[in-house]
Amino acid sequence: MNAAEDQLYQEIVLEHKRAPRHFGALAAPTHQARGRNPQCGDDVEVQLRLEDGRVADVAFHGQGCAICIASSSMMTEAVLGRDLATARELQQRFRAVLTGQAEPEGAELGKLVSLASVRRYPSRIKCALLGWHALMHAIGEAGAAQGEPVAEGATS
Protein backbone atom coordinates (compact mmCIF):
# COMPACT_ATOMS: atom_id res chain seq x y z
CA MET A 1 0.00 0.00 0.00
CA ASN A 2 1.49 3.34 -1.00
CA ALA A 3 1.27 6.56 1.01
CA ALA A 4 -1.57 8.00 -1.09
CA GLU A 5 -3.68 4.84 -0.66
CA ASP A 6 -2.94 4.79 3.05
CA GLN A 7 -4.09 8.44 3.34
CA LEU A 8 -7.28 7.72 1.38
CA TYR A 9 -8.04 4.70 3.55
CA GLN A 10 -7.48 6.73 6.73
CA GLU A 11 -9.97 9.30 5.44
CA ILE A 12 -12.58 6.58 4.78
CA VAL A 13 -12.14 5.22 8.31
CA LEU A 14 -12.43 8.70 9.84
CA GLU A 15 -15.56 9.44 7.79
CA HIS A 16 -17.22 6.26 9.07
CA LYS A 17 -16.24 7.16 12.64
CA ARG A 18 -17.62 10.70 12.31
CA ALA A 19 -20.85 9.62 10.60
CA PRO A 20 -21.40 5.91 11.14
CA ARG A 21 -23.88 4.27 8.82
CA HIS A 22 -26.86 2.39 10.23
CA PHE A 23 -26.08 3.63 13.76
CA GLY A 24 -28.94 3.25 16.21
CA ALA A 25 -31.44 0.60 17.14
CA LEU A 26 -33.86 -1.31 14.92
CA ALA A 27 -37.54 -1.12 15.79
CA ALA A 28 -38.09 -4.88 15.49
CA PRO A 29 -34.87 -6.90 15.23
CA THR A 30 -35.16 -10.64 14.72
CA HIS A 31 -31.58 -11.28 15.86
CA GLN A 32 -29.08 -9.38 17.95
CA ALA A 33 -25.81 -9.80 19.78
CA ARG A 34 -23.53 -7.65 21.82
CA GLY A 35 -19.78 -7.58 21.51
CA ARG A 36 -17.59 -6.28 24.30
CA ASN A 37 -13.85 -5.94 24.56
CA PRO A 38 -13.14 -5.35 28.24
CA GLN A 39 -9.47 -4.63 27.53
CA CYS A 40 -10.22 -1.40 25.67
CA GLY A 41 -13.83 -0.63 26.54
CA ASP A 42 -15.39 -1.19 23.11
CA ASP A 43 -19.04 -2.24 23.50
CA VAL A 44 -21.23 -2.70 20.42
CA GLU A 45 -24.63 -4.26 19.88
CA VAL A 46 -25.56 -5.45 16.39
CA GLN A 47 -29.23 -5.89 15.51
CA LEU A 48 -30.59 -7.60 12.41
CA ARG A 49 -33.88 -8.19 10.74
CA LEU A 50 -33.49 -11.38 8.75
CA GLU A 51 -35.99 -12.30 6.05
CA ASP A 52 -35.75 -15.31 3.76
CA GLY A 53 -32.08 -15.90 4.63
CA ARG A 54 -31.10 -12.30 3.88
CA VAL A 55 -30.11 -9.31 5.98
CA ALA A 56 -33.19 -7.16 5.36
CA ASP A 57 -32.05 -4.51 7.84
CA VAL A 58 -29.09 -4.01 10.13
CA ALA A 59 -28.05 -1.50 12.75
CA PHE A 60 -25.50 -1.17 15.50
CA HIS A 61 -25.09 1.02 18.54
CA GLY A 62 -22.71 1.40 21.41
CA GLN A 63 -19.36 2.97 21.99
CA GLY A 64 -15.88 2.25 20.87
CA CYS A 65 -12.70 3.55 19.38
CA ALA A 66 -12.55 4.94 15.83
CA ILE A 67 -11.55 1.57 14.39
CA CYS A 68 -14.37 -0.30 16.14
CA ILE A 69 -17.05 2.18 15.08
CA ALA A 70 -15.74 2.57 11.52
CA SER A 71 -15.46 -1.19 11.03
CA SER A 72 -18.98 -1.76 12.39
CA SER A 73 -20.32 0.99 10.14
CA MET A 74 -18.63 -0.44 7.05
CA MET A 75 -19.84 -3.90 8.04
CA THR A 76 -23.47 -2.75 8.04
CA GLU A 77 -23.10 -1.32 4.54
CA ALA A 78 -21.37 -4.46 3.31
CA VAL A 79 -23.94 -6.98 4.60
CA LEU A 80 -27.22 -5.10 4.11
CA GLY A 81 -29.33 -6.94 1.58
CA ARG A 82 -26.90 -9.87 1.37
CA ASP A 83 -27.72 -13.48 2.04
CA LEU A 84 -26.27 -15.02 5.17
CA ALA A 85 -23.76 -17.19 3.31
CA THR A 86 -22.32 -14.10 1.61
CA ALA A 87 -22.14 -12.24 4.94
CA ARG A 88 -20.29 -15.18 6.50
CA GLU A 89 -17.86 -15.43 3.59
CA LEU A 90 -17.14 -11.71 3.75
CA GLN A 91 -16.50 -11.92 7.49
CA GLN A 92 -14.09 -14.81 6.93
CA ARG A 93 -12.18 -12.95 4.22
CA PHE A 94 -12.04 -9.77 6.33
CA ARG A 95 -10.82 -11.69 9.36
CA ALA A 96 -8.21 -13.52 7.27
CA VAL A 97 -6.81 -10.22 6.00
CA LEU A 98 -6.66 -8.67 9.47
CA THR A 99 -4.99 -11.71 11.00
CA GLY A 100 -2.43 -11.98 8.17
CA GLN A 101 -3.80 -15.21 6.72
CA ALA A 102 -4.70 -13.49 3.42
CA GLU A 103 -3.43 -10.50 1.48
CA PRO A 104 -5.77 -7.52 1.07
CA GLU A 105 -5.31 -7.31 -2.70
CA GLY A 106 -6.98 -10.64 -3.45
CA ALA A 107 -9.62 -10.67 -0.72
CA GLU A 108 -12.37 -8.81 -2.59
CA LEU A 109 -13.31 -6.66 0.38
CA GLY A 110 -14.50 -3.50 -1.34
CA LYS A 111 -14.27 -0.49 1.00
CA LEU A 112 -13.37 -2.81 3.87
CA VAL A 113 -9.86 -3.00 2.45
CA SER A 114 -9.36 0.43 4.01
CA LEU A 115 -9.07 -1.34 7.36
CA ALA A 116 -6.35 -3.73 6.17
CA SER A 117 -3.61 -1.59 7.71
CA VAL A 118 -5.00 -2.47 11.14
CA ARG A 119 -3.17 -5.79 10.75
CA ARG A 120 0.06 -3.91 11.51
CA TYR A 121 -1.28 -3.19 15.01
CA PRO A 122 -2.13 -6.51 16.69
CA SER A 123 -3.77 -4.85 19.70
CA ARG A 124 -6.27 -3.11 17.37
CA ILE A 125 -7.36 -6.18 15.39
CA LYS A 126 -9.92 -7.04 18.07
CA CYS A 127 -11.36 -3.53 17.71
CA ALA A 128 -11.90 -4.00 13.98
CA LEU A 129 -13.41 -7.46 14.42
CA LEU A 130 -15.76 -6.73 17.34
CA GLY A 131 -18.83 -5.72 15.31
CA TRP A 132 -18.23 -8.64 12.94
CA HIS A 133 -17.95 -11.04 15.87
CA ALA A 134 -21.29 -9.77 17.20
CA LEU A 135 -22.82 -10.09 13.73
CA MET A 136 -21.73 -13.72 13.43
CA HIS A 137 -22.99 -14.44 16.93
CA ALA A 138 -26.34 -12.85 16.07
CA ILE A 139 -26.76 -15.11 13.07
CA GLY A 140 -25.57 -18.15 14.96
CA GLU A 141 -22.03 -18.43 13.65
CA ALA A 142 -20.01 -17.01 16.49
CA GLY A 143 -16.93 -19.17 16.71
CA ALA A 144 -15.97 -18.28 20.23
CA ALA A 145 -12.30 -18.62 19.46
CA GLN A 146 -9.90 -18.20 22.29
CA GLY A 147 -8.71 -14.64 22.71
CA GLU A 148 -11.54 -13.02 20.74
CA PRO A 149 -13.75 -10.33 22.25
CA VAL A 150 -16.68 -11.45 24.35
CA ALA A 151 -19.99 -11.56 22.49
CA GLU A 152 -23.34 -12.21 24.06
CA GLY A 153 -26.13 -13.20 21.72
CA ALA A 154 -29.85 -13.42 21.84
CA THR A 155 -32.40 -14.13 19.18
CA SER A 156 -36.05 -13.46 19.55
Side-chain angles (χ1 to χ4, degrees):
M1 186 179 326
N2 65 39
E5 286 176 323
D6 200 35
Q7 179 64 31
L8 174 64
Y9 292 156
Q10 287 178 15
E11 289 174 20
I12 291 170
V13 170
L14 288 174
E15 171 58 24
H16 276 270
K17 168 56 177 161
R18 278 188 229 119
R21 294 4 172 233
H22 307 281
F23 189 83
L26 292 183
T30 60
H31 295 72
Q32 60 190 18
R34 180 177 174 194
R36 292 181 299 153
N37 186 343
Q39 293 173 336
C40 69
D42 292 343
D43 188 346
V44 174
E45 183 171 3
V46 174
Q47 297 180 326
L48 305 166
R49 193 176 80 245
L50 301 180
E51 294 176 2
D52 300 322
R54 292 187 138 346
V55 179
D57 204 358
V58 59
F60 79 100
H61 60 92
Q63 61 187 22
C65 66
I67 291 170
C68 176
I69 298 300
S71 180
S72 297
S73 174
M74 286 189 258
M75 172 197 72
T76 63
E77 286 191 320
V79 302
L80 183 61
R82 305 284 182 139
D83 62 72
L84 296 182
T86 301
R88 288 182 188 113
E89 290 168 10
L90 183 57
Q91 183 270 347
Q92 290 169 358
R93 289 194 313 267
F94 183 65
R95 187 177 189 285
V97 166
L98 290 187
T99 59
Q101 298 170 352
E103 291 303 314
E105 295 77 25
E108 299 179 26
L109 294 176
K111 286 184 184 179
L112 291 166
V113 75
S114 62
L115 290 162
S117 62
V118 170
R119 64 198 255 156
R120 296 188 304 236
Y121 308 98
S123 65
R124 305 309 299 265
I125 292 170
K126 289 180 183 179
C127 302
L129 291 175
L130 185 65
W132 289 91
H133 187 71
L135 173 72
M136 292 298 103
H137 202 281
I139 62 175
E141 292 295 322
Q146 191 172 12
E148 289 199 8
V150 176
E152 301 164 347
T155 57
S156 50

